[in-house]
Amino acid sequence: MRNFAEQSLDIARHIFDRWLGAFGEDGTIIGERGQPSRRDDAGYFAHALAVCAALLGQRKLPQGDLVNAAAQCIATQFYYAADCLEGCAHAAMALLTLGVNRSRNPAWEQFPESIRGSISRWMRIHQRHTESEKFFAIIRCVAAFSMGFVDSDESDKKIENYLNDLVRSSSGGFVNTAAEEGNGRYDASGLERLLLMRELLQRHAIVYVRERRLPALRSCMQKYLRMFPMLIQGDGSSWNYGEPAGC
């Protein structure tokens, strides 16, 4: 019997095979001509395509090329919405997934100078972020240093603070207990960010940062997972997906 990972890859291959043909040569997404419906859509698509290519160990499917489609989505994100931190962060993770070395990155070599310039400027931005933006700022720091856009790594302390805040948090970091939510909410997108953090650390150019931060990350993920039997009822009424409260 095939294991779960193999079945998941088959599902991913089938999904992307269906949708790849809808990516236009001008970088537009799913048949749309013009700006994506959401300002972060292109970044999310790029990240999914790049990860799928890495996991499958191949770039071509019958309907198209995963890497070319990812490159189109990255370019679309930085062309239409370079000021959207969330979308650009996912596009940056896609670029990092396709290759840390820019000179050999199959997506980077496809970009015109205007897109390369837009990505380079975004990677070097320094600004204050809201609580909900901190995670995406960490992605920018890791991608910028690992791919050589900046000379110094600023991500280590940011990752430490982010994980320490989660470890110290109680209900505020993991469950939204606002009155309108009734009995509270287990926030699935918080777990999603921890999984993305693990992926990000695995691609960090500095090995000791990964080795130091993974244990704390593992503790946070275990805390999330232990909440399942306490918060999810048989009818699913205690499960909701929402904004990443406390993350």
Side-chain angles (χ1 to χ4, degrees):
M1 185 174 182
R2 302 174 67 212
N3 61 37
F4 177 74
E6 291 176 339
Q7 294 177 46
S8 298
L9 286 177
D10 272 353
I11 293 172
R13 186 185 289 108
H14 175 69
I15 291 171
F16 285 118
D17 189 38
R18 289 189 60 188
W19 286 107
L20 273 175
F23 287 86
E25 293 182 359
D26 57 352
T28 52
I29 303 172
I30 313 182
E32 296 291 338
R33 292 294 176 260
Q35 188 172 351
S37 57
R38 279 181 34 157
R39 303 182 74 246
D40 56 6
D41 274 352
Y44 274 100
F45 274 112
H47 189 188
L49 289 162
V51 170
C52 188
L55 291 176
L56 292 176
Q58 65 185 86
R59 58 179 290 171
K60 291 187 180 294
L61 294 178
Q63 294 298 323
D65 189 302
L66 287 165
V67 173
N68 288 347
Q72 292 169 14
C73 290
I74 294 169
T76 299
Q77 180 65 56
F78 282 99
Y79 181 81
Y80 285 115
D83 60 337
C84 177
L85 178 60
E86 184 171 351
C88 288
H90 279 279
M93 281 197 74
L95 196 59
L96 192 61
T97 300
L98 293 173
V100 176
N101 189 329
R102 272 184 285 164
S103 64
R104 290 185 289 182
N105 187 300
W108 182 261
E109 65 185 18
Q110 297 183 37
F111 299 145
E113 285 302 318
S114 59
I115 297 299
R116 291 186 180 185
S118 180
I119 294 173
S120 298
R121 287 190 294 274
W122 183 85
M123 292 284 188
R124 297 186 178 99
I125 291 175
H126 294 276
Q127 65 187 53
R128 296 179 64 86
H129 301 286
T130 65
E131 286 296 316
S132 63
E133 292 175 335
K134 284 183 178 180
F135 175 74
F136 302 112
I138 291 171
I139 293 177
R140 170 156 47 199
C141 287
V142 173
F145 176 75
S146 297
M147 298 194 72
F149 290 99
V150 297
D151 296 326
S152 59
D153 175 42
E154 298 180 358
S155 66
D156 188 28
K157 190 64 177 178
K158 292 179 184 292
I159 294 171
E160 180 183 24
N161 292 337
Y162 182 82
L163 294 177
N164 285 342
D165 287 344
L166 289 181
V167 170
R168 286 194 299 267
S169 67
S170 55
S171 63
F174 295 92
V175 180
N176 182 348
T177 54
E180 62 268 25
E181 295 294 342
N183 294 325
R185 180 182 69 196
Y186 177 88
D187 203 323
S189 55
L191 179 59
E192 176 190 24
R193 289 193 178 188
L194 292 179
L195 292 171
L196 290 175
M197 178 72 78
R198 181 176 181 273
E199 178 188 341
L200 188 65
L201 281 171
Q202 289 176 327
R203 304 189 187 285
H204 203 299
I206 303 178
V207 175
Y208 74 82
V209 172
R210 177 169 68 247
E211 293 178 343
R212 282 196 304 175
R213 302 307 171 204
L214 278 175
L217 175 62
R218 190 176 299 112
S219 296
C220 290
M221 296 178 72
Q222 289 171 347
K223 183 176 180 180
Y224 256 93
L225 294 173
R226 280 197 298 268
M227 289 184 169
F228 274 103
M230 294 184 289
L231 296 172
I232 302 176
Q233 299 174 2
D235 61 359
S237 61
S238 295
W239 173 274
N240 280 289
Y241 184 94
E243 292 301 316
C247 295

